[in-house]
Amino acid sequence: MLSLLILIVIAAFGLILVIPALRQPLLTAPILKGFRRSLPAMSDTEKAALEAGTVWWEADLFRGAPDWKKLQAIARPSLTQEEQSFVDNEVEEACRMVNEWKINFEDHDMPQAVWDYIKQKGFLGMIIPKSYGGKGFSAYAHSQVVAKLSTRSSPLAISVMVPNSLGPAELLLHYGTEAQKDHYLPRLARGEEIPAFALTSPWAGSDAASIPDYGIVCKQMWQGKETLGMRVTWNKRYITLAPVCTILGLAFRLYDPDGLLGKTKDLGITCALVPHDHPGVQIGRRHIPMNTYFMNGPTQGDDVFMPLDFIIGGPAMAGQGWRMLMECLSAGRAISLPSANAGLSQLAARVAGGYARIRNQFKTPISRFEGIEEALARVAGNTYMNEAVRTLSAAAIDLGQRPSVVSAIAKYHVTERARQVVTDSMDVLGGKGICLGPSNIMGLAYQQMPIGITVEGANILTRSLILFGQGAIRCHPFLLAEMQAAQDPDRAKGLQSFDAAFWGHIRYTLGNGLRSVFHGLSGAKFAGPGASVSVEMRGYARQINRLSTAYAFLADISMLMLGGSLKRKEKLSARLGDILALMFLASCVIKRYEMEGRIREDADLARWCIEDCLNKIHTALDGVFNNFPNALLGRVLKGLLFPWGLPGKSPSDQLGHRIAQLLSNPGEARNRLTPICFIHDSEHDPVGVIEHALAAVIAAEPIDAKIRAAEKQGVFKNEPLANSRDISGLAAQRGVISQEELTVIKRRDELRDRVIHVDDFPFEIHAKASGQHADGSDAESRLRAA
């Protein structure tokens, strides 16, 4: 009888589950009611941010089912003949024209000839279509240009990067009226207009949606007639190109208290274009970001009247500014800072690797010391990874994606790994790196690193709030649909939509849970990606598949347990975001290795990168399980998903040794690692001389071996000149080496001395350091006079 009763209950429950007319009122409706209560309040700006952009490969990783065939089917990005010519000629010439030391410590600006050159050659109009006189370059070409310029000069790269990122040109292309496009885009393409975009205010930095800058819709006399317009008040800071801009993009909140545009009083964030010489616009003062003298400064305006036609897209787009910004943000963020920092990584790798082979201590190149090797291995691996992420992110844009999550991953991780590359390079350079001067390349780069970390979404915020917070909602196949259904004002329609999404969610979670347990027990033996991935990378792809499935289940359980409070659990959210991002980075590395032809010399670089990612995933998973709000559930999940322990050992010392040596040995492997790096051909250039000296050092090594052998035999015993500086001359006198060989040694010494030279200055340099000239004038008065 009891068995029959149990069967009847199970059958009844089964009928309720399969019949929507029963399931929705009896099960789904109560669940929806609880879901609505747990859902945190969400503003229109938050909704716009969450719904902006598209999802791509990161969604496969989030959902536990990466389709490696889809990733491998993406063609290797390439440049058109025109784009390649631009990189090889115009970009090279721009790099030759600048001197980073003079810009930042003498002139405090790029030379006027450089400004003229980048305007005339179309650098500022790379994203503007040819129909408007622009270059119409691909995202990959845009990325190549920014990356290469960044290997030479930050002010140059930033001055080109910003007009081609989120700003007036991008917004006009997508939302401008035809009249606005026809007027501004050709002028921007020709460099006749210098754009800036002002969003950040002193009271709203990372929380840009809360900007206090405002406009009031009103009528006022304008150019001799009464005009419907707005009085705008703003106070912005950190605005790149603002001191020299001719057209200022401006974001502010627009209000219509008198109902001149309709019934809505608070129209929302609005974007307008304002000429720099418009009455009331204040620009010209400058910030000094970490002693890097690109044009950056504040702008203000107090009750400035401007016609509604100044709104990008005209009056119809009043209040649509936040949506416009969010929809355009991902493309610029996926290119600008990842490209600049990938380029900077390549410069640091080239410099540190060459310097370590050139610099001798204890009669040995320091590149052979294991401590230096450890730093060089990180430099090489992170440089390889940054280029992989940069390339794939640009490819996504060219495929038509607007990858909001990928752009956040790329921005955060490329800048953080570039920071590690620069720090390690500084450690390799030692005393050479800490004394600023014309011959010190890395000291300036080290100073500048916090800029990329901070702008376009501070890295702390990006990691703790965006990577998982936005990633979970956008990448999850059902969560966004559930949220939208819960907020649908049509309750009946919302219930139907929620019913479909919720029960799909249940099936999805159970499926991932079962597969996760199976892969955990079987050691992921059946999680392989198939033949779409090379033999060298197949084992790594299998581990990523296994981690992806476990992650999908873990993310769902975390969201179920914490609900809306997950938004406030920033440390847990950050670790979950780390796991998703690191899986993406590792897959970028696999894709780079595959699409570049599976070159065996590069396999060690790919292995180091992937093993580093897997090791960091291990750390992040450990942090999630150990800090799970329900400690018992955390331990149970760890045991279920990883019964044999967490995977992910750190790269071995031998692997690190092999990739470190790639940096210090001239050859194709070193060139492939730094493919976009600008190398000046002059031996009097601080980077060029390293290349010349490296070749000279290698040419002299067999001769050095002769001298060391003679020294061991006692040939130079008790000789005062038998020191590291003078022993070669003594060896020539004793016939140990020939005069021709001595010439090779002297040439090596000349170049090596130039490489290890540390700049010094007259005592009066303190006057310049304090902003004072010898005549007593300060920097501000000179700027005003100029």
Side-chain angles (χ1 to χ4, degrees):
M1 192 67 171
L2 180 61
S3 299
L4 180 60
L5 183 61
I6 292 171
L7 286 174
I8 291 172
V9 170
I10 292 172
F13 188 73
L15 282 173
I16 291 172
L17 283 176
V18 298
I19 300 175
L22 296 175
R23 183 182 66 239
Q24 289 179 11
L26 296 176
L27 292 179
T28 308
I31 293 169
L32 175 57
K33 187 176 180 181
F35 185 81
R36 284 194 178 112
R37 282 198 303 267
S38 67
L39 197 63
M42 190 177 300
S43 66
D44 290 340
T45 52
E46 286 180 302
K47 289 179 186 176
L50 287 172
E51 295 173 4
T54 60
V55 293
W56 188 53
W57 172 249
E58 78 282 12
D60 282 39
L61 295 168
F62 188 96
R63 295 169 184 177
D67 182 355
W68 291 92
K69 288 182 181 177
K70 180 173 77 174
L71 184 67
Q72 298 296 62
I74 298 170
R76 182 178 182 179
S78 60
L79 301 176
T80 65
Q81 186 175 355
E82 179 190 359
E83 291 168 343
Q84 188 66 63
S85 175
F86 189 82
V87 172
D88 292 342
N89 296 288
E90 283 85 349
V91 177
E92 284 274 324
E93 181 59 24
C95 289
R96 286 192 192 94
M97 293 174 72
V98 294
N99 180 304
E100 186 81 334
W101 175 260
K102 283 179 64 64
I103 290 173
N104 290 314
F105 288 90
E106 295 180 11
D107 300 333
H108 298 162
D109 189 10
M110 294 192 301
Q112 187 58 48
V114 175
W115 278 111
D116 292 342
Y117 186 80
I118 62 175
K119 291 175 185 178
Q120 294 163 7
K121 297 299 182 179
F123 280 82
L124 308 186
M126 291 189 293
I127 66 169
I128 297 174
K130 291 180 182 293
S131 57
Y132 291 103
K135 291 292 182 184
F137 280 175
S138 65
Y140 180 62
H142 173 190
S143 177
Q144 290 284 95
V145 172
V146 172
K148 189 158 194 170
L149 295 175
S150 298
T151 68
R152 184 61 174 174
S153 167
S154 289
L156 173 60
I158 292 168
S159 299
V160 170
M161 178 176 78
V162 168
N164 291 287
S165 186
L166 177 62
E170 177 90 356
L171 294 171
L172 282 168
L173 282 169
H174 292 283
Y175 308 106
T177 65
E178 291 305 313
Q180 288 172 338
K181 292 178 184 178
D182 291 341
H183 176 75
Y184 282 117
L185 290 177
R187 295 172 63 82
L188 287 165
R190 294 192 297 266
E192 294 172 14
E193 301 279 8
I194 303 294
F197 191 80
L199 174 62
T200 307
S201 86
W203 301 277
S206 298
D207 184 16
S210 65
I211 51 175
D213 312 288
Y214 65 92
I216 305 293
V217 178
C218 63
K219 290 183 178 180
Q220 187 170 315
M221 295 301 294
W222 169 255
Q223 295 181 344
K225 61 181 180 180
E226 188 178 60
T227 301
L228 185 60
M230 48 197 173
R231 294 192 308 273
V232 184
T233 297
W234 72 92
N235 181 12
K236 306 287 191 179
R237 63 181 181 184
Y238 312 140
I239 310 306
T240 299
L241 296 181
V244 295
C245 76
T246 61
I247 186 73
L248 179 67
L250 193 61
F252 54 91
R253 197 167 197 93
L254 186 61
Y255 297 91
D256 185 14
D258 297 328
L260 297 175
L261 297 180
K263 294 180 180 180
T264 305
K265 305 298 183 184
D266 181 357
L267 295 171
I269 293 176
T270 300
C271 296
L273 288 181
V274 189
H276 75 290
D277 54 0
H278 185 75
V281 174
Q282 300 174 41
I283 60 170
R285 293 186 64 81
R286 295 177 66 176
H287 300 309
I288 306 175
M290 303 304 292
N291 276 348
T292 307
Y293 281 85
F294 60 93
M295 287 294 170
N296 183 278
T299 174
Q300 298 89 20
D302 185 16
D303 214 27
V304 176
F305 181 81
M306 53 188 77
L308 291 182
D309 287 344
F310 280 19
I311 295 173
I312 297 175
M317 294 302 288
Q320 299 299 309
W322 190 249
R323 177 177 65 84
M324 293 158 59
L325 293 172
M326 290 301 99
E327 289 176 352
C328 292
L329 174 65
S330 57
R333 188 162 61 179
I335 295 173
S336 298
L337 288 169
S339 301
N341 283 269
L344 183 57
S345 298
Q346 292 183 32
L347 171 66
R350 199 91 188 182
V351 168
Y355 184 89
R357 182 70 177 271
I358 294 162
R359 179 65 163 156
N360 267 31
Q361 293 288 274
F362 308 105
K363 300 180 180 179
T364 305
I366 64 171
S367 61
R368 295 176 187 166
F369 296 166
E370 288 195 356
I372 297 293
E373 274 190 354
E374 191 173 20
L376 288 178
R378 287 194 298 267
V379 169
N382 285 325
T383 298
Y384 186 87
M385 188 183 299
N386 282 352
E387 179 68 4
V389 175
R390 174 189 81 86
T391 302
L392 196 60
S393 298
I397 304 297
D398 282 330
L399 289 171
Q401 298 291 331
R402 293 271 172 181
S404 55
V405 180
V406 163
S407 67
I409 290 172
K411 188 273 172 179
Y412 174 82
H413 281 277
V414 173
T415 56
E416 287 293 344
R417 287 180 180 266
R419 171 154 63 176
Q420 183 66 60
V421 167
V422 171
T423 299
D424 284 328
S425 299
M426 284 287 287
D427 288 349
V428 171
L429 267 60
K432 164 77 176 181
I434 64 172
C435 294
L436 293 178
S439 67
N440 183 349
I441 312 108
M442 296 316 303
L444 292 172
Y446 183 78
Q447 277 193 327
Q448 296 160 4
M449 276 313 303
I451 299 171
I453 298 294
T454 303
V455 301
E456 290 197 15
N459 278 10
I460 288 178
L461 174 139
T462 300
R463 176 175 178 260
S464 59
L465 293 179
I466 295 177
L467 293 184
F468 184 74
Q470 187 176 28
I473 295 171
R474 291 312 317 274
C475 296
H476 197 287
F478 301 103
L479 186 57
L480 183 59
E482 289 169 337
M483 293 171 65
Q484 290 170 334
Q487 294 168 338
D488 195 326
D490 185 334
R491 293 291 171 130
K493 182 183 174 185
L495 178 61
Q496 287 185 344
S497 300
F498 185 81
D499 181 73
F502 178 77
W503 295 107
H505 191 163
I506 294 296
R507 290 189 295 272
Y508 162 82
T509 302
L510 291 174
N512 279 327
L514 291 172
R515 286 193 299 127
S516 299
V517 172
F518 174 71
H519 288 326
L521 291 171
S522 64
K525 285 183 171 51
F526 303 99
S532 58
V533 177
S534 65
V535 174
E536 302 96 318
M537 297 293 116
R538 202 168 294 164
Y540 295 126
R542 179 165 50 248
Q543 291 186 61
I544 293 171
N545 281 356
R546 183 261 182 100
L547 287 167
S548 172
T549 305
Y551 178 78
F553 183 67
L554 178 61
D556 260 327
I557 298 300
S558 299
M559 289 186 285
L560 176 65
M561 288 296 299
L562 296 170
S565 66
L566 183 58
K567 184 177 178 180
R568 297 184 295 276
K569 295 288 185 181
E570 294 180 23
K571 295 174 186 174
L572 189 66
S573 178
R575 294 184 185 108
L576 289 167
D578 288 343
I579 299 165
L580 175 62
L582 289 162
M583 289 191 294
F584 179 80
L585 300 187
S587 57
C588 286
V589 170
I590 291 175
K591 175 61 179 174
R592 178 180 180 182
Y593 177 75
E594 300 281 324
M595 73 181 180
E596 289 185 354
R598 303 173 179 177
I599 301 168
R600 290 199 172 274
E601 273 187 300
D602 297 347
D604 281 337
L605 286 163
R607 291 189 186 102
W608 187 96
C609 294
I610 298 166
E611 289 178 17
D612 180 70
C613 286
L614 295 175
N615 180 248
K616 287 180 168 61
I617 289 174
H618 175 127
T619 302
L621 282 168
D622 204 39
V624 170
F625 292 131
N626 291 341
N627 294 280
F628 212 70
N630 185 314
L632 176 60
L633 181 57
R635 290 194 291 272
V636 170
L637 286 170
K638 186 175 182 179
L640 277 175
L641 300 179
F642 302 100
W644 316 121
L646 292 172
K649 62 180 182 179
S650 60
S652 70
D653 290 346
Q654 277 302 309
L655 181 58
H657 163 77
R658 293 197 297 271
I659 69 169
Q661 292 309 307
L662 292 178
L663 282 183
S664 300
N665 289 297
E668 286 306 308
R670 184 170 183 254
N671 292 336
R672 282 193 303 274
L673 186 60
T674 58
I676 201 67
C677 194
F678 172 77
I679 308 295
H680 204 294
D681 52 11
S682 170
E683 64 182 53
H684 298 284
D685 178 83
V687 178
V689 70
I690 290 176
E691 299 299 311
H692 286 276
L694 183 58
V697 163
I698 291 170
E701 282 178 349
I703 307 169
D704 284 330
K706 286 185 181 182
I707 297 172
R708 283 196 301 272
E711 192 175 14
K712 287 179 181 178
Q713 295 167 6
V715 172
F716 312 121
K717 191 174 182 180
N718 298 325
E719 286 283 356
L721 295 179
N723 57 64
S724 59
R725 185 188 61 204
D726 302 317
I727 196 170
S728 58
L730 189 60
Q733 291 176 16
R734 300 293 177 84
V736 174
I737 61 174
S738 67
Q739 286 298 316
E740 289 79 8
E741 289 173 322
L742 178 61
T743 301
V744 172
I745 292 287
K746 286 187 175 298
R747 174 63 173 161
R748 184 274 315 274
D749 289 348
E750 176 193 357
L751 292 170
R752 183 169 64 190
D753 286 349
R754 204 176 293 161
V755 168
I756 66 174
H757 168 73
V758 174
D759 298 290
D760 55 75
F761 302 91
F763 179 79
E764 291 77 13
I765 192 67
H766 78 280
K768 289 186 180 181
S770 64
Q772 294 283 330
H773 264 204
D775 63 5
S777 64
D778 59 31
E780 182 177 346
S781 64
R782 295 197 312 277
L783 183 61
R784 287 178 183 276

